[in-house]
Amino acid sequence: MSKNNSLLTTRHSLNTMLQNDLLLRALRGEVTERTPVWMMRQAGRYLPEYRVLREKYSFFERCQTPELACEITLQPVDIVGVDAAILFSDILVVPQAMGLEVQLIESKGPVLPDPIKTANDLNRVRVPDVNETLGYVFDAIRLIKQELNGRVPLIGFAGAPWTLLCYMVQGKGSKTFDEAKAFCYTEPELAHQLLQMITDTTIAYLKEQVKAGADTVQIFDSWGGLLGPDDFENLSLRYIRQIVTALKDTVPTIIFAKGAWHSLDNMAATGAQGLGIDWCIKPQMARQLAGNKVTLQGNFDPAKLLSPIPVIKKEVTAMLDAFGPGHHIANLGHGILPHVPVDHARAFVDTVKEYRHKI
Ligand code: CP3
């Protein structure tokens, strides 16, 4: 047995202690009795229980206090009944650990007041010791695993290097991330230096998340779809590939590169076990592009959770029919919106749980 296989087997026997391992079995390509379901950004403002903690503590207090992060992570498991927990944190804790100030401003979103614009700015950025700077995340993971007590698997995550560069250079959210792109196109060497530093930090960060107990990890490339296919390969996928390769002997990885459907074939070739897709591509077409081995995750339009419940049920059923049996994790095509009623989120989850494929 190769080293790779024996490590996966050890992990496998640990996972058998999970009462619900549908998500992990789906990622391994096994046929499951029903499709597993979770929602991106499932711990958040649509939950009244989250809003209570939001009144009392700042965003980074909630991320950095393991007891709070744990309580928030468990909320959607208890309230909505999803088949996986996802660590409550944010992709921007990595730029923070690398030395940049990150603020989260109500109604404005994330702001990085001193973004990277020049070679000089790059000197302020370092590849940190992740245990020193992000130890609170690993403490939270250990606590969450203990509190979950095997009910469902725990998903760890990080932002893709390209998406993190977008924020680190633009300094705030944007529809186009034009300043981030301008930096990459005018200062390619600096851009690649920064992308490599983010990649090295992310590899160390995700490896520690796995050591602390994460059962799988997702890489969020929310802005991957802003790049054409060649730029996506050059500025994003080559760094994601390094991350997937570094984790291949540990837990399954999921790549979610929103809008980058044109590169599903290349994403599948990284060896990642799961690929997230948004609602702008038909499941059948995504399957054709990605091939038959990988598990697809998605792809319900998050705004459709604002429809009346009977419409949600009908549309979720149509989505499950379109994906067909096996190799599918039901999810939204992007994060849940803050004004979605909780019973609509529950209708999404329940419809998946009640559905059975005719095989
Ligand atoms: O999925 C989960 O439930 C886990 C928690 C999670 C958060 N952010 C918590 C959060 C995850 C996985 C993220 C990832 C994240 N963060 C991404 C990638 C996924 C995506 O949605 O595209 C991005 C681009 C960010 C950066 C970020 N963080 C933005 C743009 C914002 C502001 C927009 C918003 O939703 O308010 C945040 C803040 C943030 N991260 C909140 C939460 C629950 C809202 C904070 C609050 O107001 O309480």
Side-chain angles (χ1 to χ4, degrees):
M1 190 186 279
S2 73
K3 181 166 165 267
N4 184 354
N5 275 342
S6 68
L7 276 168
L8 287 175
T9 312
T10 316
R11 201 76 210 178
H12 186 134
S13 53
L14 285 174
N15 287 335
T16 54
M17 297 188 308
L18 284 170
Q19 291 141 41
N20 174 350
D21 63 351
L22 286 169
L23 180 98
L24 301 179
R25 280 158 53 211
L27 283 171
R28 285 201 295 265
E30 291 173 24
V31 176
T32 49
E33 49 280 25
R34 65 167 176 84
T35 304
V37 57
W38 68 283
M39 294 179 295
M40 288 190 276
R41 297 286 204 100
Q42 66 189 17
R45 281 165 295 178
Y46 74 104
L47 291 173
E49 292 82 352
Y50 174 83
R51 293 198 298 268
V52 171
L53 295 173
R54 194 171 181 265
E55 290 295 309
K56 282 208 226 157
Y57 307 96
S58 74
F59 182 71
F60 287 111
E61 260 178 302
R62 276 173 270 145
C63 291
Q64 289 165 7
T65 313
E67 291 73 17
L68 291 175
C70 175
E71 184 176 343
I72 298 170
T73 300
L74 264 53
Q75 283 176 349
V77 177
D78 294 332
I79 300 164
V80 199
V82 282
D83 291 313
I86 177 161
L87 164 73
F88 179 78
S89 185
D90 198 82
I91 60 167
L92 298 173
V93 301
V94 166
Q96 212 172 36
M98 293 178 75
L100 290 191
E101 185 186 342
V102 181
Q103 302 165 352
L104 201 73
I105 298 177
E106 177 85 47
S107 79
K108 255 186 102 181
V111 173
L112 289 77
D114 302 306
I116 309 291
K117 301 286 178 195
T118 63
N120 226 6
D121 292 331
L122 212 53
N123 291 332
R124 291 189 276 122
V125 179
R126 60 176 187 274
V127 176
D129 176 332
V130 291
N131 279 305
E132 253 167 45
T133 49
L134 293 159
Y136 63 87
V137 172
F138 316 133
D139 290 340
I141 291 178
R142 280 185 283 268
L143 190 60
I144 294 162
K145 284 295 285 182
Q146 197 181 312
E147 293 296 311
L148 275 174
N149 197 20
R151 274 181 286 165
V152 290
L154 175 63
I155 305 168
F157 72 89
W162 159 251
T163 287
L164 291 184
L165 175 142
C166 282
Y167 287 101
M168 291 168 88
V169 174
Q170 190 92 16
K172 56 182 186 302
S174 162
K175 281 208 172 81
T176 56
F177 282 99
D178 50 341
E179 291 173 47
K181 282 183 160 183
F183 176 76
C184 294
Y185 300 147
T186 52
E187 300 280 5
E189 271 182 35
L190 292 183
H192 283 290
Q193 219 178 310
L194 178 57
L195 287 165
Q196 191 59 54
M197 288 171 85
I198 303 170
T199 302
D200 294 345
T201 308
T202 303
I203 288 172
Y205 180 47
L206 289 177
K207 280 188 168 175
E208 286 302 315
Q209 289 192 24
V210 171
K211 264 199 221 161
D215 296 295
T216 173
V217 295
Q218 175 156 320
I219 301 162
F220 284 91
D221 200 3
S222 306
W223 306 116
L226 294 179
L227 300 168
D230 293 343
D231 283 342
F232 181 72
E233 168 57 35
N234 184 37
L235 295 168
S236 183
L237 192 55
R238 61 194 273 195
Y239 296 99
I240 293 177
R241 192 178 290 120
Q242 287 185 38
I243 300 169
V244 172
T245 304
L247 289 166
K248 77 175 182 350
D249 292 339
T250 61
V251 295
T253 49
I254 306 168
I255 304 173
F256 171 62
K258 189 174 178 294
W261 55 271
H262 48 69
S263 296
L264 281 169
D265 50 350
N266 295 337
M267 287 191 255
T270 63
Q273 284 78 358
L275 298 182
I277 55 170
D278 65 47
W279 59 98
C280 295
I281 182 166
K282 288 186 180 185
Q284 205 187 358
M285 189 178 179
R287 178 54 72 201
Q288 271 167 17
L289 291 168
N292 290 327
K293 266 181 71 185
V294 77
T295 295
L296 293 174
Q297 175 174 276
N299 69 339
F300 202 72
D301 177 352
K304 277 207 178 160
L305 290 187
L306 299 168
S307 321
I309 287 179
V311 176
I312 295 176
K313 286 187 177 287
K314 190 168 151 269
E315 297 268 338
V316 173
T317 304
M319 174 188 80
L320 293 163
D321 286 342
F323 275 98
H327 284 97
H328 178 222
I329 297 164
N331 204 319
L332 307 175
H334 201 185
I336 190 166
L337 299 164
H339 48 301
V340 167
V342 178
D343 55 341
H344 288 212
R346 208 178 282 122
F348 172 76
V349 170
D350 285 345
T351 307
V352 178
K353 287 169 120 179
E354 284 155 18
Y355 181 98
R356 294 291 179 276
H357 282 286
K358 295 167 214 73
I359 33 173

